Amino acid sequence: MAEETELAVPPPRPPEENRPAGDDPAFVERVSEAIAREDAAALRAHVADLHEADVGALIEALPAADRPKLITLLGADFDFTALTELDETVRVQILEELPVETVAEGVRDIDSDDAVYILEDLDDAEKQEILGQLPMLERAALQRSLDYPEESAGRRMQTEFIAVPPFWTVGQTLDYISETEGLPETFFEVFVVDPTYRLTGSVPLDRLLRTKRGVKLAEVVMPDRHVVKATDDQEDVARVFERYNLISAPVVDDASRLVGVLTVDDIVDVIQEEADEDLKALGGVAGDEELSDSFWYIAKSRFSWLLLNLIAANVASFVIALFEGELQRMVALAVLMPIVASQGGNAGTQTMTVAVRALATRELRPSNAGRVIARELLVGLFNGVAFAVIMAVVVFARFGIADLGFVIALAMIINLIAAALGGILIPLALARIKVDPAVASGPFVTTITDVVGFFAFLGIASLWF
């Protein structure tokens, strides 16, 4: 029996070594020192085995002045895909400092979707200057993708794909894949097109490899059920990938000609970006705000939201002023008043968050809106009654006034019902008039809960006492 050969398997890295390169201050310092010495060989040794995501984290951890120097020193060894991992502000600053020739050469060596992602945030003049350095065919392909609307499938698609005629055999196709240079490094299917490049269907790789070489593709081609238009919104496309568990999908133009392919790694980025944008919008932060943005940009972008909240606060204070006499007669009203408004605000935010997310994912539709509204109304009523009982007991124990406990209990019920209705109806109304509910719902819901809470509590108190 032949003696078994023991494979040399490297030991697993300790947990502390598995953290991103940018999170290791000592490593960042060594890289920075190599840049200061202009030691390209040491720099290559440091970053040679890093994934592009880790290279991106390293770049962001470096001082701003060192970032373009790292790329220049690495030269052809720098993978420009790492720039897709950076905040937009950092990426644009780096690109503006690099020579046009360096950027042009860098985007030539990466996938077209990554090249478009890098170039799209630059000024038109800078984009054209870089594109002018590229060969005509590559320039035309990138320009076509850049001409599609922002956040569309055309901006996200990869223009490198494998397309063959239906009369080819499986053997011809496999030989073409193995012998032709310049094909995409990663792909999941072979597309079949007619002479005008209109999509006929596709053949998944597993099906291709299990079919005899002499069989023509026309006999094994599968019609694509989930064809994406280049002008489709990227969020809608992401929803299709999620619903049908797709790995890739062909992208066609208005004439049904195949122009690109979307893969699941692109869609994961879209899902993350859209979720990040919605979360920021609910907090009154611009969707494109990043940690690397300047103080002035962030201050300006947040001002409008804070202004809306200031207006809402003034409306609420006007309602309070209407009952100034009652507040002077009974100090307990001023003590308890914020409790009613606060509970309503929190309940309204809960309902609004669920509604906005359901609208974003298309789970909340006209067909089920009535049922959801009724459910939220019942939830508001139930919680209102529950907290009314709790507060009635607390107020009686604290102030010894049974009537005051009844007043705050009734106000609590009214405000939590109003919060539930406002939290669901306002996002629905904004969506109906084509306004992003995530951006605009917050101030309206807050205003409703504050105004209804103050008015209900103080109004009932003025009538009761």
Side-chain angles (χ1 to χ4, degrees):
M1 174 181 273
E3 186 177 344
E4 292 185 3
T5 303
E6 186 175 339
L7 296 177
V9 180
R13 296 176 64 189
E16 65 271 11
E17 294 183 10
N18 288 327
R19 60 182 176 178
D23 292 345
D24 185 347
F27 179 76
V28 175
E29 181 63 26
R30 290 196 298 272
V31 171
S32 187
E33 290 173 357
I35 293 173
R37 299 192 308 268
E38 297 188 357
D39 189 345
L43 200 56
R44 291 190 183 94
H46 285 312
V47 303
D49 297 329
L50 294 181
H51 187 273
E52 59 261 22
D54 292 323
V55 176
L58 171 63
I59 291 174
E60 290 196 331
L62 288 170
D66 286 348
R67 293 164 180 167
K69 292 179 183 177
L70 177 143
I71 298 173
T72 302
L73 287 170
L74 288 176
D77 292 323
F78 179 76
D79 184 357
F80 264 66
T81 306
L83 296 185
T84 64
E85 305 291 337
L86 305 179
D87 282 354
E88 177 187 332
T89 303
V90 175
R91 181 170 57 250
V92 171
Q93 288 172 349
I94 292 173
L95 293 173
E96 288 176 345
E97 294 187 37
L98 290 173
V100 173
E101 297 77 11
T102 301
V103 179
E105 191 61 34
V107 298
R108 284 192 65 187
D109 296 332
I110 62 178
D111 292 338
S112 59
D113 54 338
D114 292 327
V116 169
Y117 188 83
I118 289 172
L119 295 176
E120 64 181 352
D121 296 319
L122 296 175
D123 294 337
D124 288 338
E126 293 173 315
K127 274 189 289 196
Q128 294 307 318
E129 190 175 4
I130 294 169
L131 291 173
Q133 301 286 325
L134 301 177
M136 184 179 66
L137 290 178
E138 295 177 25
R139 180 171 68 248
L142 291 178
Q143 185 64 64
R144 179 174 58 181
S145 294
L146 289 167
D147 287 339
Y148 286 114
E150 290 186 26
E151 300 188 349
S152 67
R155 283 287 184 96
R156 287 289 186 179
M157 70 181 180
Q158 181 177 326
T159 56
E160 299 90 2
F161 51 83
I162 299 175
V164 296
F167 55 80
W168 274 22
T169 64
V170 169
Q172 284 177 289
T173 305
L174 292 174
D175 292 340
Y176 170 75
I177 293 173
S178 62
E179 297 171 3
T180 305
E181 296 182 358
L183 296 180
E185 294 182 3
T186 303
F187 58 95
F188 305 98
E189 55 195 343
V190 172
F191 297 106
V192 180
V193 295
D194 67 13
T196 62
Y197 237 71
R198 285 183 171 84
L199 183 66
T200 302
S202 63
V203 183
L205 282 183
D206 58 342
R207 186 180 180 93
L208 187 71
L209 294 172
R210 292 171 180 167
T211 305
K212 294 182 179 180
R213 291 180 59 88
V215 177
K216 291 186 177 182
L217 294 182
E219 300 178 34
V220 294
V221 65
M222 302 174 62
D224 279 294
R225 299 177 182 176
H226 308 294
V227 178
V228 175
K229 278 197 168 185
T231 52
D232 286 349
D233 184 88
Q234 64 179 16
E235 190 173 359
D236 295 333
V237 176
R239 208 165 287 116
V240 172
F241 268 72
E242 179 188 17
R243 182 179 299 124
Y244 299 107
N245 299 320
L246 303 181
I247 297 177
S248 65
V251 182
V252 299
D253 61 13
D254 291 335
S256 298
R257 291 187 296 263
L258 183 65
V259 293
V261 60
L262 279 169
T263 52
V264 68
D265 60 310
D266 303 314
I267 299 304
V268 169
D269 291 337
V270 170
I271 293 172
Q272 180 182 3
E273 288 177 11
E274 295 293 343
D276 181 66
E277 186 177 308
D278 288 345
L279 181 62
K280 288 177 179 177
L282 281 173
V285 177
D288 60 352
E289 181 178 315
E290 297 172 338
L291 290 177
S292 57
D293 287 333
S294 67
F295 142 77
W296 183 239
Y297 176 82
I298 293 176
K300 288 192 299 182
S301 68
R302 295 184 186 179
F303 180 84
S304 58
W305 179 271
L306 294 174
L307 179 62
L308 281 175
N309 279 276
L310 180 62
I311 295 171
N314 275 276
V315 172
S317 69
F318 176 76
V319 173
I320 295 173
L322 295 176
F323 300 94
E324 186 176 356
E326 284 71 19
L327 289 170
Q328 290 176 348
R329 286 200 306 271
M330 187 176 290
V331 177
L333 294 178
V335 175
L336 298 173
M337 181 174 60
I339 298 176
V340 178
S342 176
Q343 281 296 96
N346 290 330
T349 299
Q350 288 178 330
T351 304
M352 179 189 70
T353 302
V354 172
V356 168
R357 188 59 190 152
L359 285 168
T361 57
R362 303 294 194 272
E363 294 176 17
L364 183 56
R365 303 178 296 274
S367 58
N368 65 354
R371 177 175 59 81
V372 175
I373 293 171
R375 185 199 67 187
E376 292 298 329
L377 183 61
L378 288 174
V379 169
L381 177 60
F382 175 83
N383 284 334
V385 171
F387 286 110
V389 173
I390 293 172
M391 281 306 303
V393 174
V394 170
V395 169
F396 180 73
R398 184 176 178 184
F399 297 99
I401 306 174
D403 288 357
L404 184 58
F406 175 78
V407 168
I408 195 171
L410 188 56
M412 189 75 73
I413 293 172
I414 293 172
N415 202 24
L416 262 68
I417 290 175
L421 289 175
I424 185 71
L425 293 178
I426 287 175
L428 282 170
L430 292 172
R432 177 65 65 88
I433 61 175
K434 309 299 183 185
V435 175
D436 187 355
V439 176
S441 295
F444 290 112
V445 173
T446 301
T447 302
I448 285 177
T449 55
D450 284 351
V451 170
V452 172
F454 293 144
F455 194 86
F457 182 51
L458 297 176
I460 295 171
S462 66
L463 294 174
W464 194 268
F465 296 106

